[in-house]
Structure formats: structure tokens, C-alpha cells
């Protein structure tokens, strides 16, 4: 069946559908940034099969740009979704024009009332030099600073405790902060990192620092002004 045979099935988008579709653009950039330049990320819209690519990052792998048409695999997935309602991401291998091997994962995007509005596709070029792929997953040098402290906690209380511990260590190691100003400095670090957005934070920090909740609130008011 040719692409033109599907023309009548182009989806009519509502404003909410368009808004949801656009919200995936930043996700595409995020995934591509994480995996690296050897990975192409594409957002297809079912609003027009002939010009379905509405967002693409690292499109040089397949030579596509915004406005390129949907693939035959994309049409096949849409037909399968219409028959079964199965939106489970699908992974498969394929070769592109230059012979490069891709591993692809594609999922159906649902819009208003769960109707299919597009596809989110990740295509990793496995023919890309392996050494280049590894470089994107590692610091640039052996001495590179890995200074981002991200706490992967299983509960809010654990997250607060870890963030508080890190803040205390950071302030304790800063010789410019005198003893009197340590509690305020610790609270400021936690405030700047958004920890007080968690409900348990004020009580936990106050108890650990040996000060009252009112003192914490006072510091926060100062920081906000």
C-alpha cells in the first residue's frame, strides 16, 4: 500500500494535541543530549504523513529534516495501533542508505482522548566508531571534575538527609564562613537547591541544626527578598 492510500487517515489535531506534540520537542533534545551525537531522535506528527517530521535532532544520520515524510514502519505501527491499541515501544534493527546499522525504538504518542497523534523515535547508529560513542558517555579526561551531586533517593526523607549532609560538608569546608553564620549558610544552600519544596524539609533541617522552624522560615524570607 502506498503512502497516498493513507492520506484519508491523517489525524485532525485539537489545540491540546498540538500542545502535547510540541511538549515532546524538548524531550527529544534531552534524549539526544544524553545519548550523544551518534543518536538521532525524531518526533513524527500524524497531522500530515507527507511532512510528518516536526522535530529531529542529529538528522544527518538518515539525511532527514523537519518536513520529511513518515516511514513505512511508522505507517505500519499506526495501523497496528488502530487494530490493537498496543502502544508498547517497539525496538528493531534496520540499515539506512549508506549501509549503517541502526537500532531503533519507537513509541506511539497519544493526544487528547488517547487518540494517536504521532511517534517518538530514537535511532542509535551502531556503525558509528565505538571509541566516539564511549567518549560521549565518559568525562573528557581522567581528571575531569564530576562535581554534580545528584541524590537518587527512594524517599523524600532520604533525599532531604542526603542534601543536608552535603550542605553541611560544603559549609564546614568553607573557611570564609564563621561559626555564627554556618546554620544560615547551610539553609541557604538547601533553599537554592529547592529542598524546602519538600514538606518534611523544614522540620528535618531545624532538628539537625538545633534551631527552631521559625528560624528556618526567617532565613527563607530573607533569601526570597
Amino acid at each position: 500500500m502506498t503512502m497516498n492510500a493513507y492520506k484519508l487517515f491523517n489525524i485532525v489535531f485539537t489545540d491540546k494535541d498540538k500542545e502535547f506534540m510540541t511538549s515532546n520537542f524538548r524531550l527529544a533534545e534531552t534524549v539526544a543530549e544524553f545519548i550523544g551525537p551518534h543518536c538521532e531522535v525524531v518526533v513524527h506528527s500524524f497531522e500530515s504523513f507527507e511532512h510528518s517530521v516536526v522535530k529531529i535532532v542529529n538528522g544527518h544520520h538518515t539525511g532527514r529534516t523537519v518536513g520529511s515524510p513518515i516511514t513505512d514502519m511508522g505507517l505500519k505501527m499506526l495501523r497496528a495501533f488502530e487494530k490493537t491499541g498496543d502502544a508498547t515501544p517497539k525496538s528493531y534493527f534496520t540499515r539506512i542508505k549508506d549501509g549503517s546499522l541502526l537500532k531503533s525504538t519507537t513509541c506511539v504518542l497519544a493526544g487528547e482522548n488517547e487518540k494517536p497523534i504521532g511517534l517518538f523515535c530514537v535511532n542509535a547508529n551502531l556503525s558509528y566508531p565505538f571509541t566516539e560513542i564511549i567518549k560521549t558517555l565518559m568525562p573528557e579526561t581522567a581528571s575531569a571534575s564530576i562535581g554534580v551531586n545528584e541524590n537518587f533517593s527512594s524517599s523524600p526523607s532520604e533525599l532531604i538527609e542526603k542534601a543536608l549532609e552535603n550542605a553541611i560538608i560544603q559549609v564546614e569546608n568553607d573557611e570564609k564562613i564563621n561559626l555564627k553564620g554556618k546554620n544560615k549558610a547551610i539553609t541557604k544552600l538547601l533553599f537554592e537547591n529547592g529542598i524546602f519544596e519538600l514538606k518534611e524539609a523544614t522540620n528535618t533541617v531545624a532538628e539537625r541544626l538545633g534551631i527552631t522552624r521559625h528560624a528556618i522560615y526567617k532565613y527563607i524570607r530573607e533569601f526570597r527578598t
Side-chain angles (χ1 to χ4, degrees), residues 11-63:
I11 307 297
V12 177
F13 276 31
T14 64
D15 289 339
K16 286 186 178 180
D17 292 332
K18 293 177 181 179
E19 183 180 339
F20 182 77
M21 180 63 67
T22 303
S23 72
N24 284 280
F25 292 1
R26 188 174 297 174
L27 177 61
E29 293 171 354
T30 301
V31 172
E33 172 68 20
F34 173 73
I35 300 178
H38 61 284
C39 179
E40 177 189 79
V41 184
V42 190
V43 179
H44 287 279
S45 168
F46 291 154
E47 196 171 21
S48 170
F49 297 136
E50 288 82 359
H51 307 285
S52 73
V53 176
V54 289
K55 177 68 177 180
I56 187 165
V57 187
N58 297 328
H60 56 275
H61 290 286
T62 59

Side-chain angles (χ1 to χ4, degrees), residues 143-212:
S143 61
S145 172
I146 309 178
V148 177
N149 241 333
E150 184 169 8
N151 296 318
F152 298 96
S153 304
S154 59
S155 68
S157 58
E158 183 185 355
L159 173 59
I160 295 165
E161 290 286 355
K162 287 184 177 180
L164 177 54
E165 191 64 38
N166 289 333
I168 290 173
I169 292 172
Q170 189 172 335
V171 170
E172 291 290 345
N173 290 333
D174 191 338
E175 296 178 354
K176 298 191 296 293
I177 302 174
N178 59 37
L179 183 62
K180 185 178 179 180
K182 287 187 184 298
N183 285 344
K184 186 173 183 178
I186 291 167
T187 306
K188 186 175 183 180
L189 276 176
L190 296 171
F191 172 78
E192 290 175 344
N193 291 332
I195 296 300
F196 290 106
E197 298 297 327
L198 302 173
K199 294 179 180 179
E200 303 173 26
T202 303
N203 287 337
T204 301
V205 174
E207 183 177 344
R208 178 70 180 276
L209 298 182
I211 58 179
T212 66

Side-chain angles (χ1 to χ4, degrees), residues 40 59-64 93-102 104 123 125 127:
E40 177 189 79
H60 56 275
H61 290 286
T62 59
R64 292 178 297 175
F93 294 90
T94 188
R95 289 195 181 274
I96 51 180
K97 292 178 181 178
D98 67 1
S100 296
L101 178 65
L102 300 185
S104 302
N123 304 311
N125 190 339
S127 298

